[in-house]
Amino acid sequence: MRVLGIVGSRRKKGNTAYLVQRTLEAIKSKDIDTELIFLSDYTIRGCIGCEGCKDTYKCVIMDDMQKIYPLLLNCDAIVLGSPTYFYNITADMKAFIERLYCYQIFDEEDRSVWSSVHEVLGGKYAVVISICEQNTEEDMGFAAEAMSKPLTGLGYRVIEAVKILKLFKKEDVLGSQDALEQVERAGEKLKKTLRLRNETEKKLKLLE
Ligand SMILES: Cc1cc2nc3c(=O)[nH]c(=O)nc-3n(C[C@H](O)[C@H](O)[C@H](O)COP(=O)(O)O)c2cc1C
């Protein structure tokens, strides 16, 4: 099994990077590989709404997102992390999520009827982590939902949406045992969920 961690902060040694990494460390095991990518290493435009992906489920924009699509298709789960920027996710994370539009499937006549490529292929899992400097969830605004809502629509079951408050400077995370414990718990839960699915798949095959 495979889990892909995706960091939406440009601070490569910042709070988000550290917490996504810690989550992956909690997941990594004999049966689960992990990989970490930073969106800042890629040039990703926002979706242009051309509908060029409508029949092929492939985005026609030839930028670095083309390097990430295979990683997404080849993993069982993702860990998305973004700092809060003005009550929302970062522009990098927003552009990345917009470009997942090619995996959304709509009925031609009735667009209220929809599915997704991942749903059709059996579903995937996600953990989302949002970080902010202020003291209340209200100050975090929509950051967590801006990741979990689209992912749910795209066929990911969001196992945990971890909200970490009160981290400002990039090294603040190092003094927050509570933040580390929260992401480790989320990672453990994702690991157990993946194993449960794997074991159940095997059992079902034996029962065929
Ligand atoms: C442009 C910008 C906007 C921000 N907006 C918010 C905000 O709306 N609420 C908040 O609590 N923190 C806000 N912050 C603080 C960051 O979310 C915080 O410093 C976070 O720990 C950064 O994570 P990183 O180290 O992974 O980059 C903002 C920071 C920047 C640079």
Side-chain angles (χ1 to χ4, degrees):
M1 293 177 280
R2 198 167 182 78
V3 178
L4 178 68
I6 302 171
V7 175
S9 169
R10 298 220 166 188
R11 300 205 293 199
K12 279 197 164 176
K13 293 195 171 152
N15 299 311
T16 310
Y18 193 79
L19 290 171
V20 173
Q21 250 160 312
R22 282 300 278 252
T23 314
L24 293 184
E25 277 163 25
I27 296 167
K28 195 173 168 63
S29 42
K30 264 198 297 191
D31 51 339
I32 308 177
D33 284 331
T34 60
E35 182 177 355
L36 178 73
I37 64 168
F38 294 87
L39 292 178
S40 57
D41 286 339
Y42 299 82
T43 303
I44 303 171
R45 292 174 66 189
C47 176
I48 55 171
C50 68
E51 298 291 333
C53 55
K54 189 169 72 70
D55 297 316
T56 60
Y57 316 113
K58 289 192 170 118
C59 181
V60 296
I61 302 175
M62 289 299 145
D63 64 6
D64 287 345
M65 191 63 193
Q66 297 299 340
K67 297 179 190 159
I68 301 182
Y69 288 129
L71 304 182
L72 290 167
L73 289 172
N74 289 331
C75 69
D76 303 280
I78 57 174
V79 177
L80 278 196
S82 178
T84 302
Y85 275 14
F86 288 111
Y87 308 100
N88 214 317
I89 49 179
T90 60
D92 287 349
M93 182 57 77
K94 179 70 165 63
F96 164 77
I97 291 174
E98 284 182 17
R99 294 289 293 287
L100 302 180
Y101 183 66
C102 56
Y103 293 140
Q104 196 98 62
I105 307 166
F106 292 93
D107 180 90
E108 297 256 317
E109 269 99 53
D110 180 358
R111 285 184 63 85
S112 75
V113 176
W114 52 268
S115 182
S116 72
V117 167
H118 298 319
E119 200 176 302
V120 171
L121 294 177
K124 292 189 190 281
Y125 302 98
V127 163
V128 305
I129 305 166
S130 47
I131 294 103
C132 80
E133 68 165 291
Q134 297 295 335
N135 304 326
T136 70
E137 285 197 12
E138 221 169 53
D139 297 312
M140 184 172 272
F142 323 101
E145 290 75 14
M147 291 184 277
S148 55
K149 273 201 156 231
L151 289 185
T152 303
L154 286 160
Y156 290 86
R157 182 152 73 82
V158 178
I159 302 288
E160 286 282 336
V162 185
K163 297 181 179 179
I164 307 288
L165 312 174
K166 301 184 198 171
L167 300 182
F168 172 55
K169 293 196 293 295
K170 63 178 161 47
E171 63 281 4
D172 276 353
V173 67
L174 300 174
S176 176
Q177 190 58 27
D178 179 55
L180 300 181
E181 282 170 13
Q182 281 194 63
V183 298
E184 279 166 7
R185 267 200 304 277
E188 276 293 325
K189 197 167 168 188
L190 178 57
K191 180 162 74 181
K192 285 185 186 163
T193 308
L194 286 169
R195 285 185 178 155
L196 180 66
R197 186 174 81 168
N198 204 30
E199 282 157 22
T200 311
E201 258 172 18
K202 283 185 196 153
K203 274 193 207 162
L204 287 171
K205 274 201 186 115
L206 286 175
L207 289 169
E208 269 172 14

